[in-house]
Amino acid sequence: MDTSLYNEIVNVIKNFNGLTRNCAKKLQETFPNIDTNTLYSILNIQYQRKMRCTYGKFQNNRNRYWDLFQKALRNNEKSGILVKLSEMFDIAPCLMAKLILQKYFDDHQDLDKNNEKKEGSVNINTYLKNTYMIPDSDLAYEVFLCTVFDNLYSPLVDAMRLSLGQQYEVRLQKEAIKLGLAFRGEEYLRKYGYDKTPDLKLDVPIVIDGFVINWIEGKAVFADEDVHSDYMKNQYLSYWNRFGPGLVIYWFGYLKTIVETGDKRFIVRDYMPTNIKKIWSIQNGNHMPEETTVKKTDNNNSD
């Protein structure tokens, strides 16, 4: 993706006030020709960065949010109070729910025989995932609504994100099999003691656009410079040190500026290339690469 188009998308996100689910709809309307997964991934990245920068301020205002919540309850306002507060203060609903839960449990923590609060912190995430465990029924329902209206920080979204990642891992394996590649998966490599493993470690290297590939890693995200840099430091460089050069696939696209000209460690694509050349082992007595080409249309099957 060109930098100019990326900046247009980011500007829409930064200038939008309200819930991220509504921002996602705005992005789809503004950029109808861009894949929905790509837009959502960019929104996810930008909003999480924003929340990391401002969450400390929200923590300091926790008592204020609690007072507003209690006032709304006393006034018998309609359900969805916490969702409205999150929209008012531009904070993710589930993060608002966490702040309110922290305040609630701080005020209702059990007292010991000396009328002092017992030590030990409450795992807020447990109550966010299991709202029926919250003793206060009104608060429980309000927190539940936060998990419904939050499309970035909800436990349900976390499960969907994990499922999406697994779906694209399966897709990568299927496309590799269609191309006739011999490979080992993550489970096999971990079994033999590798702590950091790519999605696929090729038994026989291949050549793509003149670049030798020993491993393939797929990510179901859009990659800008910061995302790519984090993955490179935490994963790709380890793969390169152990296995040599490889291929990185960002299924939802990437910013063109992340590609370094002449990089010999890995190449970056947003699809599984089909114009590959297989390098047969010397033991087979064939030193010439065999070129394999598969129609691009086969690459669109995600199942």
Side-chain angles (χ1 to χ4, degrees), residues 38 41 168 216-232 235-236 247-255 258-259 266-272:
T38 299
S41 184
Y168 276 87
I216 304 175
E217 176 76 6
K219 299 292 184 186
V221 298
F222 177 91
D224 62 9
E225 292 175 348
D226 289 338
V227 170
H228 182 63
S229 178
D230 287 343
Y231 279 132
M232 184 166 62
Q235 295 183 352
Y236 306 155
L247 165 66
V248 173
I249 302 175
Y250 290 116
W251 295 108
F252 302 155
Y254 57 89
L255 197 59
I258 72 171
V259 179
F266 45 80
I267 58 175
V268 181
R269 298 289 187 272
D270 57 6
Y271 60 94
M272 179 63 196

Side-chain angles (χ1 to χ4, degrees), residues 49-72:
R49 288 174 184 163
K50 177 181 178 180
M51 290 297 101
R52 283 197 295 268
C53 292
T54 57
Y55 192 65
K57 179 187 72 175
F58 297 139
Q59 284 275 13
N60 294 333
N61 290 328
R62 185 173 59 182
N63 290 338
R64 180 187 178 191
Y65 303 147
W66 175 259
D67 291 340
L68 290 173
F69 174 59
Q70 292 299 308
K71 180 180 178 181

Side-chain angles (χ1 to χ4, degrees), residues 9 12 16 21-36 39:
I9 296 172
V12 171
F16 187 87
R21 59 188 296 164
N22 295 330
C23 184
K25 294 178 182 178
K26 176 68 174 179
L27 289 173
Q28 292 173 25
E29 294 171 356
T30 308
F31 306 97
N33 296 325
I34 299 180
D35 183 75
T36 300
L39 294 173

Side-chain angles (χ1 to χ4, degrees), residues 61-251:
N61 290 328
R62 185 173 59 182
N63 290 338
R64 180 187 178 191
Y65 303 147
W66 175 259
D67 291 340
L68 290 173
F69 174 59
Q70 292 299 308
K71 180 180 178 181
L73 288 177
R74 291 193 298 269
N75 292 337
N76 294 319
E77 293 187 13
K78 293 181 179 179
S79 300
I81 299 169
L82 292 185
V83 174
K84 293 176 184 176
L85 287 176
S86 68
E87 190 170 8
M88 180 187 305
F89 292 100
D90 199 17
I91 177 175
C94 283
L95 295 185
M96 175 63 77
K98 282 187 175 184
L99 294 174
I100 295 299
L101 284 172
Q102 287 172 352
K103 174 63 176 176
Y104 172 80
F105 283 109
D106 283 348
D107 291 349
H108 293 79
Q109 195 171 0
D110 292 338
L111 302 178
D112 60 19
K113 62 182 179 180
N114 296 320
N115 203 34
E116 295 180 353
K117 289 186 176 181
K118 294 180 180 179
E119 296 183 359
S121 59
V122 175
N123 188 340
I124 298 299
N125 287 331
T126 299
Y127 291 93
L128 194 65
K129 295 178 181 177
N130 306 281
T131 56
Y132 63 87
M133 296 174 58
I134 301 173
D136 187 303
S137 59
D138 290 331
L139 178 57
Y141 186 60
E142 287 291 331
V143 172
F144 170 74
L145 290 179
C146 287
T147 66
V148 172
F149 281 86
D150 194 329
N151 66 340
L152 291 184
Y153 288 91
S154 169
L156 177 60
V157 174
D158 289 340
M160 293 172 63
R161 190 177 293 121
L162 177 61
S163 176
L164 183 66
Q166 293 173 340
Q167 174 187 335
Y168 276 87
E169 286 181 16
V170 172
R171 171 178 175 174
L172 177 59
Q173 291 185 5
K174 287 186 175 182
E175 294 195 8
I177 291 172
K178 285 182 181 180
L179 292 169
L181 306 184
F183 60 86
R184 306 288 181 176
E186 288 181 285
E187 292 185 5
Y188 179 91
L189 294 173
R190 289 196 181 114
K191 180 180 178 181
Y192 286 90
Y194 291 100
D195 56 341
K196 291 187 177 181
T197 60
D199 289 335
L200 304 181
K201 168 63 178 69
L202 302 180
D203 290 342
V204 179
I206 60 175
V207 175
I208 298 176
D209 298 331
F211 195 93
V212 177
I213 301 297
N214 294 283
W215 53 268
I216 304 175
E217 176 76 6
K219 299 292 184 186
V221 298
F222 177 91
D224 62 9
E225 292 175 348
D226 289 338
V227 170
H228 182 63
S229 178
D230 287 343
Y231 279 132
M232 184 166 62
K233 289 185 294 185
N234 296 324
Q235 295 183 352
Y236 306 155
L237 292 182
S238 295
Y239 305 161
W240 174 66
N241 286 328
R242 293 178 180 180
F243 307 120
L247 165 66
V248 173
I249 302 175
Y250 290 116
W251 295 108

